[in-house]
Amino acid sequence: MHFASDNAGPVHPKILDALAAANEGWAIGYGNDPLTQRAIQRVRDLFEAPKAAVYLTATGTACNAILLATMAKPYDIVFCTPEAHIHEDECNAPEFYTGGAKLSLIESRDALMEPAALDAEMTKRGSWGVQGPQPGAVSITSVTERGTLYPLDHIAEIARIAHRHGTCLHLDGARFANACAALNCTPAEMSWKAGVDAVSFGGTKNGCMGVEAAVIFDPETAWEFELRRKRGGHLFSKHRFLSAQIDAYLADGLWLDLATAANAAADRLTRGLTSCRDTAFRWQPAANMLFTDMPRSLHRRLHDAGAVYYVWEGTLDGDPSGTATARLVTDWSTPDDAIDRFVDIVSQT
Amino acid sequence: MHFASDNAGPVHPKILDALAAANEGWAIGYGNDPLTQRAIQRVRDLFEAPKAAVYLTATGTACNAILLATMAKPYDIVFCTPEAHIHEDECNAPEFYTGGAKLSLIESRDALMEPAALDAEMTKRGSWGVQGPQPGAVSITSVTERGTLYPLDHIAEIARIAHRHGTCLHLDGARFANACAALNCTPAEMSWKAGVDAVSFGGTKNGCMGVEAAVIFDPETAWEFELRRKRGGHLFSKHRFLSAQIDAYLADGLWLDLATAANAAADRLTRGLTSCRDTAFRWQPAANMLFTDMPRSLHRRLHDAGAVYYVWEGTLDGDPSGTATARLVTDWSTPDDAIDRFVDIVSQT
Amino acid sequence: MHFASDNAGPVHPKILDALAAANEGWAIGYGNDPLTQRAIQRVRDLFEAPKAAVYLTATGTACNAILLATMAKPYDIVFCTPEAHIHEDECNAPEFYTGGAKLSLIESRDALMEPAALDAEMTKRGSWGVQGPQPGAVSITSVTERGTLYPLDHIAEIARIAHRHGTCLHLDGARFANACAALNCTPAEMSWKAGVDAVSFGGTKNGCMGVEAAVIFDPETAWEFELRRKRGGHLFSKHRFLSAQIDAYLADGLWLDLATAANAAADRLTRGLTSCRDTAFRWQPAANMLFTDMPRSLHRRLHDAGAVYYVWEGTLDGDPSGTATARLVTDWSTPDDAIDRFVDIVSQT
Amino acid sequence: MHFASDNAGPVHPKILDALAAANEGWAIGYGNDPLTQRAIQRVRDLFEAPKAAVYLTATGTACNAILLATMAKPYDIVFCTPEAHIHEDECNAPEFYTGGAKLSLIESRDALMEPAALDAEMTKRGSWGVQGPQPGAVSITSVTERGTLYPLDHIAEIARIAHRHGTCLHLDGARFANACAALNCTPAEMSWKAGVDAVSFGGTKNGCMGVEAAVIFDPETAWEFELRRKRGGHLFSKHRFLSAQIDAYLADGLWLDLATAANAAADRLTRGLTSCRDTAFRWQPAANMLFTDMPRSLHRRLHDAGAVYYVWEGTLDGDPSGTATARLVTDWSTPDDAIDRFVDIVSQT
C-alpha cells in the first residue's frame, strides 16, 4: 500500500530495457549522438511542433528553473500560485537560475491560478517603472500540486493575459501525461495550441528513471537554454541514457498508457473512498493524486497495516477523533489489490 | 578505434545490472532509502573516513561546482591551474554556484600546480584587504586534464599552502580511480591523508552511467551541500538509481578493476606509439589519457581508417607535413585490437 | 505644497556645511580617514553599542540588501510583510545580494507583522528539510511603509520568534529617527534592547544627502559586510563625504531635531485633515506619513492648486465622487503655510 | 606631498558650489528632475551622441559592473588585461553583477591589450560550443592602470576584433578626461568614433565628489541598465546631487581643465624625476600616474619627510640598496611646491 509519491515506484521495464539497448558500444557524449536526435524528434512529433527546441534534463527542478531563466530576467517577476512546486519545493532553484528573479504569488482556487487576479497583479507591476521588478513570466502546473486540472480554456485565458503583458507562459508538466490522459486531449492542445510557450514535459514521475524534456516552441532563445543547462551542471556526458528513456517513453504510446494506468488506479481509489463515511476529499480528484481528510484513529490503523503516504496537513499526534489530511498518489505500478486493501481498512470504520 | 573520451564508452554490465536490481518495488525518494545509505557507507569505507559527509550527484560539473560553493564565498577566489576543467569546460558553473567567486589561474608545469606560484599569489591576495577578492579555496585535478599525475607529496605540499592561508583544498577526481590505480595508493592516501578537504569522486568516466560522489571529510558544512544540491536541481527523486551505481561500483573492487583496465589500455597504446617515428608525446602518459603530436597526413590516414579522437591542438587543414596534437583517451572497454590497429597505422609511416 | 516624499526636500544646511568642511585638503580613501572613524564612533555612541560594527552606504536599498545578505544564505527565506520596501520597491535587490534567497510574505495588520503568523510560517518552513528553503532572517520596518509604528514590545516579540527559530532580526530603519521621535525612545531601546540584530539606520530621508549606516550589534560577521559592500560597488573612494554627513547628522542631536520637525509637520497636517468631512485616514498617522482617502474632485482641486503627492491607490480618472487614496509625506523642511494651505483647500469642500 | 591617489584630493569648489545650488527647494527623486535631464544632455553633447543613453552612478565599480552586466550574459566571458581594475580591484563586482560571467585575461604590453592575443583567445573560445563560456564583451581601460594610454587606432583595432566576434567593447574611463587631455582628442574620437560601445565616464577621480556616467551609444538596451542599477541599490533617491556634479563638471570645460592640471602636475613630476640618478620609470608616464623604481633608502627618506604614496611593488623592509616601486598619482589640486619638494629629496641622492 504505497501511496507516498509517483516518484517512489519502479521504472517501467521498457525504460530499463531501453537503457540496456542504448549501452551497445560507443557513443559520442553531450547529446551529439543519433539516439538523442531521434528522441528529440519524437518529442517534436508528439507535440506536433516540428521547429520546437527540445532539451533533456534529469530532474524536473532543473527543467523548470532553466526554462524560467530563459524567460525571466533577474529584475523580473515570475507569477505563480501559492501551491506551485517552483515556489514550495525547489529550495529557491528558480531564484538561483534566474539570478534573483522574484516569485510573486497569485491567488488560486483549487490550486488553479485566478485569471483576474493575475491580470490585476501584472497590471500593477507593469506600471511601476524602475522602482520595482518587471513582469517576466507566468508559470502554471497541470496536473496541479493539489491534484486538480486546468481546463484547456483556462490555460488559454492565462496565456492571453501573459502575452498581453508582454510575457511568456510556462507549464510545469511534471504530470503532463496524467493531465492529457484525464482531459483526453493531445499534447499540442494542452500546450502551444492553448498559448503555452514552453513546457517541462515530465517523464520521471511516470515510469522513467529520471528525465524531463524542456520544450520551447519558439526556438529563438534555445541556445541560451543549452548554455544555462551546461553551467548548471545538467548537461549529461553520457547523454544517450537520458535520450533512451525519452525514446522508449514516447514509442508506441507508452507515456499515455502509463499515465492512463496511474489515473485509473487513482480513480479506483477515489471510488472506493467516496463511499466511506470517514473520508472527505479536499479537492475533487482528477488525475493521480488525492487529498482526503481522515480521523487520526484511521490514519493510525492504516499506518499499522503498512500503508505509506504523506500526512499533508495536520499531525497524527493528539485526539484520535481529530482529523489530518492524507496525500495519496498512484503511479502506473500501483496494484489493484493494494488499493482494495486500503479501501477495505478505511471502510471498516 | 574510439579514443575520443572515457565518457563515450559503454556502462559496465555490473552497473546496469545494479540498476535493474534496484528497480525492485517501491523506494522512498530523495535519498532516504536503504540502498543510498549502503552506498554512502561504502564510500566512507573506501576512504577510511567514517565521519565523512557523502552526497551523490549525476554529473561531475555539479559535484565540483557545489563543493566549491561550500568552500568559497562569492567574494572569494578559487585558485586553479589554467588547464582546470572547472575553468575551461564547465561554462562558468563554479562562478554560478559560488554566486560569483573568481577563478584565479596559478602557473602549472605539466598541468600540475606550482606550489611556489600558489603561495605567492595567495600571499598577494590575502594582503589586499577589502579592495580585492579573498583567498577562498584551492582546486586541483588528478589525473590532470593533460593526463599527468600529482605525486602524493605534491598534493600534500599544495594542501599545506592552502591551509596556511586559511583555505581548503578540493580535488577534482573525475579520474580519481585511474590516479589511484596508477600510483598504487589508497583513496585515503590520495585525499585526506595528503590534506585534501573534499573530493569529487568520479564514477561516470570509469564505467558508471552518471554518478559522482562528493566526499567532505569534515562533515560540519554538509547540510549546506545538501541545500545547494537541491536548489541546483541535482537532488534526484529516484535517488536509488544513483546509489545503485555507486554501490556496484565499490563492490568487489570494481572501481579499481575498471581503472586498471583503462590504464593498461593506455599503457599498451603508449608503448605502441613510443616506437613510432612520427609521434611525440606532449606529456609523459601516466594514466588513461595521451597527447601526442602527429603529422597531418597521419591524422588523415587514421581518420580515414575510422579512428575517432579529438584533435586537441592545431587543425587538420594545411600542409600535410605540419603537425597537430591528438588527445587519446582509453576506458575499461577499449579493446586491445583497436589499440593494435591504431598503432599499426601509425607505425606504417 | 510638496508631500510626495521625504527624499524630495532639501538637504539640511548643517549637512551641506559638513561636506564643505570635510573637503579641506587630502584624505586617504575608502574609509581609512579619521572623520570616518569619528562618524562610526558617533553611531556606536548613539546606539550605546561600543562593539557594534558600523558601515556606511549611500542608499537604503544597498544598506538593506547587503545586511540581509550577511544574515540569509541563498537557500534561505527572508520573512517580511507584503508592504515591505525590500519586497515592493527594491527591484529584487535582496534577491540579488543574497544570491537568490526567497522573500516570504507574512500576514500583517496595519503593516505590522503578525507574530503568530510569523511563528506559524517559520515552524512550517523549518520542518521541511532539504526540499524547501530554510528560515534565514526576519525583516521589519519602522516607521512602516504605511506610516504606522511598531511598539517596542511588538519588536521584542518578533525578535523572540526570530531567535527561537535560529534566525536574526533586521530592522529597516529608513525612518528610524521618525520612529524614535514618535515613540520617545532611545535608539538602543528600539534596536538591540528589543532584540534587533542589525539596523539600516537611515539618514537620506531625514535631511542628509545620501547616507545610511548599517549597524550590526554582533560584530562577528562584520568583515563579510565589508566585502559584500565592495563587490556591490558601494564602497566610496571619497568616503569622507559619507562620513561627514553622518558626523553632522549625529552632532548636537540634529537627527532627532529633524525627525521631530517632520513628525510635527505631519501632526499639523493630521490635525487639520481630521476635521475635514471628505477625508478618511487609511491608517492612524503616527510619524511623518499619512494615507487618506479623498474624493477625486478634491484630488483634482489640490493638484490644480499645485499640491504634489502620490496617488497611492485608485486613479484620478473616473467619477468625481469616487475616491482615491493620497500618500502624504512630510520632512524637516515642510513649511507650516504649505500644510495650512493644503488643509484649507481640503476643508473648503 | 600627497601622491597616493587621485581620489584622495579635495572636490573642486565649483562642484561643491553646484551641490549647494542644487539644494534649493524641492525636487522629485530618482532622476526625474530637470537638473538630471540637463546633466544627461550635457553628457550627450560632450560625446556628440544625441541618442546615447546616459545613467549616473556614484562609484566607478558600479558603473563598470552594471555596464558589463548589460553586455555579457552569465554564461559569457569578459576579456580584459591582467592589470584591469575590474579584475584586480573590484572584489568580484563584475562576476556579481553579470551573474557569474568569467573574466578572461588577455596578454598585455605596458598594460595595453594585445590585439593578436585577444583575437586568438576569442577565436578559441568562440569555437567551443556549449562546453565552455561564450565570448561576451571586451573591456579596456584608458588611462590604463599603469599610467599608459591607448592610441586611438589601438582602440579601433580592439573594437574591430570585438565586433567581428559578435561582442561589444567597454571602455573603463575612470581617467577618461586625463586620457583625452593627454591625447588631445575629443570624447567622441576616443569612444564611439573608435568603435567603443559603452564608456564608464569618470568624474570622481577628477574633482567630483562621487559620480560616474555610464554612456551607452546604442540606447536599445538602456532600460536594462536602469533596472540593474536599481536592483544594485545604485539609483539615488536624491538624484539631483549626482546630476549637479556632472552638470558643473561639464560646464565651461571644467572636466578638461582639471585633467589638464592633473596631467601637468604629473609632467612636472616626471621631468623632475627623469634627471634623478636613482629613479627608473617602469612605464613611460603619459597622463597623471607614474611608476618608478627607487632604492629603499630613498623611499624611507621620502616617507620621513612626509611623502604619501603607495609602494606598488616590493617592500621597504630589507637591504637599503634594494629597490621598490612607487606609484605616484597627481590630481587637479597637486601643488607645484609639493612636487618640487619631492623631486628635491629624490635628487639629493
Side-chain angles (χ1 to χ4, degrees), chain D residues 111-163:
Chain D
L112 306 174
M113 188 181 279
E114 285 280 320
L118 174 65
D119 199 16
E121 185 70 8
M122 294 191 88
T123 300
K124 177 179 136 190
R125 294 293 188 166
S127 69
W128 273 13
V130 71
Q131 299 293 85
Q134 305 298 309
V138 179
S139 180
I140 59 174
T141 315
S142 190
V143 181
T144 74
E145 295 80 1
R146 298 296 174 261
T148 55
L149 286 173
Y150 277 89
L152 297 187
D153 58 353
H154 192 152
I155 296 179
E157 192 176 358
I158 298 282
R160 275 193 301 271
I161 295 166
H163 296 156

Side-chain angles (χ1 to χ4, degrees), chain C residues 218-297:
Chain C
D218 176 353
E220 201 89 326
T221 58
W223 170 239
E224 186 177 344
F225 185 98
E226 216 169 329
L227 291 158
R228 291 185 181 274
R229 178 177 61 170
K230 173 66 187 178
R231 86 172 185 129
H234 286 288
L235 176 58
F236 271 50
S237 57
K238 297 188 174 174
H239 193 281
R240 55 173 149 171
F241 299 107
L242 294 184
S243 308
Q245 295 180 62
I246 284 288
D247 188 60
Y249 185 57
L250 297 189
D252 308 322
L254 179 63
W255 70 281
L256 196 55
D257 294 346
L258 297 182
T260 302
N263 288 4
D267 189 53
R268 186 181 189 101
L269 185 57
T270 302
R271 281 182 287 111
L273 295 178
T274 299
S275 59
C276 297
R277 215 184 33 169
D278 274 353
T279 60
F281 293 117
R282 292 284 295 266
W283 296 277
Q284 190 51 42
N288 69 322
M289 189 157 43
L290 295 68
F291 292 81
T292 179
D293 292 338
M294 298 190 294
R296 288 197 182 102
S297 54

Side-chain angles (χ1 to χ4, degrees), chain C residues 11 23 59 204 208 232-234 238, chain D residues 11 23 59 204 208 232-234 238:
Chain C
V11 171
N23 198 38
T59 74
T204 312
C208 293
H234 286 288
K238 297 188 174 174
Chain D
V11 172
N23 198 36
T59 73
T204 312
C208 292
H234 286 288
K238 298 189 175 175

Side-chain angles (χ1 to χ4, degrees), chain B residues 31-48:
Chain B
N32 299 313
D33 58 295
L35 180 54
T36 297
Q37 296 319 305
R38 193 173 78 192
I40 286 174
Q41 193 51 49
R42 280 205 202 265
V43 177
R44 287 193 186 117
D45 291 346
L46 179 74
F47 279 89
E48 306 167 44

